[in-house]
Amino acid sequence: MTDAQSLEVIVSFFRYSAVSIFLLLGVVFLRDFRNRQVAWLGAWASVSGAAYLICTSPKLNAVFGNGMVLIELFCHSGQIAIWLFSLSQFRDRLKIWPAFALIGIGFYLSGRLHFDLLLGSGSGFELPAYVIYTLARFGLIAHMIYVAWEGRDDDLLEARRKFRLVYIVAVSLTTLVIASAETFFSQSELFGTPVLLLQSIGMWLLAATLAWFGINLRSVAFVSGKNGSARPQKNTTVEPNERHDLATIEKLIETDELYLQPGLTITGLAQSAGLPEHRLRRLINRHLGYRNFADFLNHYRITAAQRRLSSVQERNVPVLTIAMELGYGSLGPFNRAFKERTGQTPTEYRRKQLADS
């Protein structure tokens, strides 16, 4: 067997194995995940990974023939699927529609505009369309990395905190390398054996990593709670020392109203409670039922906001003033948190409450 033939065998092994793992992971998502949004996004991302490996293989293109029309649909939407799936993992209350859905549709259409209509046409729009598509693609990758990184301090799930780093390295780095290769290499170079080998090994490692977390840690590292709830079932079994620690936390938050402190972090609360940070994370998650620290604080802040917005005596106090006094640094985060929990903006809520009083 020649060196070229040996490389072909290695490429085939990693490529076909990765396709199988991605498809298996898609089945696991649909079968085992109670959160249907995460299940469908995970399956979509997994099938897209398999489709990408087929689309970029000349041999597999020939095998599937006319079936490539459907496979290419998943292949071309893969970046959107991975992006939305990433958001679903690290934003516990993610709602896809409308903003994220519109961004995804816009990105898909920009890709089809460039590759299906303008590429090689000699049109003056060809280069601008390519630049827009490329910037959007790297923008989605950058956003994936940002979302996985920025919420790490507030995350109360230890396994998911570790998974964030793995995810950033495995998923984001792989997609970044692939996007860079497709941007800077020619078509002939992309279908050369060295690039196909690197691509196959990278995708295999990505598939194996996601399969490990998806199958073995899906109830912890992945958001699989019922109806996408950010608050899983509380653990009612409390040891004596835990009961005293919980009482300390309750006093600081409910009696001393520490939640009103602007910029309060899990580290700051741990220092006030005299507890190791990792223990405080576990207590709030297991016994109070929260998956992230921001949601824990927002529960108390929004409850207080509802009382104040319903008060006739405070009817003329500006919403911004209430937000600032409840610990929010600006009006935007307060509005988002309030509407997320009540389905109304603070102004709408106040108007309705005062009209009913």
Side-chain angles (χ1 to χ4, degrees):
M1 183 180 292
T2 65
D3 290 343
Q5 289 174 324
S6 298
L7 283 177
E8 286 289 341
V9 171
I10 296 173
V11 168
S12 297
F13 169 78
F14 281 105
R15 187 169 292 264
Y16 299 158
S17 297
V19 169
S20 300
I21 295 172
F22 274 125
L23 293 177
L24 173 62
L25 188 57
V27 171
V28 169
F29 275 111
L30 292 177
R31 185 192 67 182
D32 295 350
F33 281 63
R34 292 171 294 167
N35 182 328
R36 301 319 297 168
Q37 177 174 277
V38 172
W40 285 107
L41 289 176
W44 180 15
S46 300
V47 173
S48 294
Y52 175 80
L53 287 164
I54 296 172
C55 287
T56 54
S57 169
K59 289 184 178 179
L60 290 176
N61 269 252
V63 168
F64 284 95
N66 293 332
M68 287 301 299
V69 174
L70 178 60
I71 292 173
E72 286 177 354
L73 179 61
F74 281 99
C75 180
H76 297 323
S77 65
Q79 186 68 64
I80 306 165
I82 295 171
W83 172 61
L84 291 176
F85 176 66
S86 300
L87 300 188
S88 75
Q89 292 310 295
F90 304 119
R91 289 189 173 176
D92 289 326
R93 295 177 179 270
L94 178 70
K95 293 182 180 179
I96 295 298
W97 186 261
F100 294 138
L102 290 176
I103 292 172
I105 292 170
F107 176 76
Y108 179 81
L109 292 177
S110 71
R112 295 307 90 221
L113 174 66
H114 170 68
F115 290 105
D116 295 344
L117 298 177
L118 297 177
L119 183 62
S121 67
S123 168
F125 295 104
E126 181 179 350
L127 181 59
Y130 177 68
V131 171
I132 291 172
Y133 171 76
T134 302
L135 290 176
R137 187 176 192 181
F138 283 102
L140 292 181
I141 295 172
H143 190 234
M144 288 165 51
I145 297 173
Y146 170 76
V147 169
W149 181 257
E150 61 96 19
R152 69 196 185 284
D153 291 334
D154 277 351
D155 203 333
L156 300 176
L157 298 171
E158 192 60 34
R160 190 170 65 174
R161 292 185 74 230
K162 295 176 181 178
F163 175 64
R164 286 176 184 270
L165 181 59
V166 173
Y167 193 85
I168 290 171
V169 173
V171 179
S172 301
L173 184 59
T174 301
T175 55
L176 187 62
V177 169
I178 289 173
S180 299
E182 292 180 354
T183 301
F184 300 111
F185 285 106
S186 65
Q187 284 296 107
S188 59
E189 290 173 322
L190 284 174
F191 287 111
T193 301
V195 175
L196 289 177
L197 176 61
L198 181 63
Q199 181 190 75
S200 300
I201 293 175
M203 291 294 286
W204 184 88
L205 290 172
L206 174 61
T209 301
L210 290 178
W212 172 259
F213 277 92
I215 294 173
N216 293 288
L217 296 176
R218 58 187 178 274
S219 63
V220 179
F222 288 80
V223 183
S224 56
K226 185 177 181 181
N227 298 326
S229 171
R231 296 189 63 184
Q233 184 67 36
K234 296 181 183 180
N235 188 337
T236 55
T237 303
V238 183
E239 298 177 1
N241 59 328
E242 290 179 327
R243 185 173 67 252
H244 292 297
D245 289 339
L246 287 169
T248 299
I249 297 170
E250 181 180 294
K251 178 181 181 299
L252 287 170
I253 294 297
E254 298 184 4
T255 304
D256 299 344
E257 296 186 329
L258 200 63
Y259 66 88
L260 297 177
Q261 178 180 312
L264 179 64
T265 63
I266 189 76
T267 301
L269 181 58
Q271 291 173 346
S272 297
L275 294 171
E277 189 175 316
H278 68 88
R279 180 173 176 80
L280 179 61
R281 291 181 189 275
R282 187 171 65 250
L283 287 168
I284 295 176
N285 173 238
R286 291 184 60 195
H287 298 296
L288 300 181
Y290 294 90
R291 298 178 72 91
N292 67 77
F293 188 64
D295 195 54
F296 169 69
L297 289 182
N298 282 332
H299 168 73
Y300 292 98
R301 288 174 174 175
I302 299 306
T303 299
Q306 287 177 289
R307 288 197 300 268
R308 295 189 62 177
L309 291 169
S310 302
S311 171
V312 176
Q313 289 73 27
E314 295 195 71
R315 65 186 180 278
N316 293 319
V317 177
V319 172
L320 176 59
T321 299
I322 293 176
M324 300 295 285
E325 291 177 353
L326 290 175
Y328 290 95
S330 62
L331 190 58
F334 172 63
N335 283 339
R336 287 192 295 273
F338 193 93
K339 188 169 184 179
E340 191 175 72
R341 285 156 180 76
T342 66
Q344 299 173 296
T345 66
T347 301
E348 292 170 342
Y349 181 86
R350 167 182 269 174
R351 187 182 301 117
K352 185 176 185 306
Q353 293 300 311
L354 293 179
D356 294 342
S357 61

